């Protein structure tokens, strides 16, 4: 079978793989399921509260940041488990650092949500 390496076909394949990866993340990883559900809820809240264009931009970036970092964290965990399925102190350290990155992204997203919605709710 001849491989097609044209620019357009290659980019199209990349997009297909990206959608497959996003679908796998959303449908198989419980933390991503929760975060994606929260993303849908704050998006609906944005429509309900009629947030400004700038608030939409910041909220969208916060959602993208959390989901992206969570995806990278999941990839790190899967690779680490593949390389060393049993508990190993160094692998645990690496996985903790990746989880810490998600924690920082989540804290930033929570701050964004509070700044946008708390004044509207109170």
């Amino acid at each position: 079978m001849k491989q097609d390496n044209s620019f357009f076909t290659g980019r199209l394949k990349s997009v297909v793989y990206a959608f497959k990866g996003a679908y796998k993340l959303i449908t198989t990883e419980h933390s991503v399921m929760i975060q994606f559900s929260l993303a849908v809820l704050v998006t609906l809240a944005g429509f309900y509260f009629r947030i400004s264009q700038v608030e939409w931009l910041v909220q969208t970036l916060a959602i993208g940041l959390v989901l992206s970092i969570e995806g990278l964290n999941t990839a790190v965990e899967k690779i680490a488990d593949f390389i060393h399925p049993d508990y190993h102190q160094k692998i645990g350290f690496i996985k903790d650092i990746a989880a810490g990155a998600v924690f920082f992204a989540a804290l930033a997203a929570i701050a964004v949500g509070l700044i946008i919605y708390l004044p509207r709710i109170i």
Side-chain angles (χ1 to χ4, degrees):
M1 184 162 131
K2 184 180 175 196
Q3 186 176 7
D4 184 1
N5 290 323
S6 73
F7 178 79
F8 180 75
T9 306
R11 300 302 63 81
L12 186 60
K13 287 179 183 177
S14 294
V15 170
V16 170
Y17 291 139
F19 273 108
K20 276 176 61 175
Y23 180 78
K24 286 178 183 179
L25 265 174
I26 292 170
T27 58
T28 63
E29 298 300 318
H30 293 287
S31 58
V32 178
M33 288 177 196
I34 292 167
Q35 291 162 349
F36 185 75
S37 298
L38 290 172
V40 170
L41 286 174
V42 295
T43 299
L44 293 173
F47 287 113
Y48 179 79
F49 288 109
R50 298 176 187 230
I51 63 177
S52 72
Q53 184 178 22
V54 171
E55 290 168 329
W56 274 114
L57 290 170
V58 175
Q59 176 173 292
T60 302
L61 286 172
I63 290 168
L65 176 71
V66 171
L67 292 174
S68 297
I69 299 296
E70 185 62 60
L72 291 173
N73 177 53
T74 300
V76 167
E77 288 182 356
K78 299 293 183 190
I79 290 169
D81 290 343
F82 178 77
I83 291 170
H84 205 291
D86 299 325
Y87 176 78
H88 189 277
Q89 186 176 359
K90 287 184 180 180
I91 294 290
F93 182 77
I94 292 166
K95 290 167 80 172
D96 288 347
I97 289 171
V102 176
F103 179 71
F104 286 136
L107 284 179
I110 290 167
V112 165
L114 290 174
I115 291 167
I116 292 173
Y117 293 107
L118 204 55
R120 289 173 165 86
I121 294 170
I122 293 179

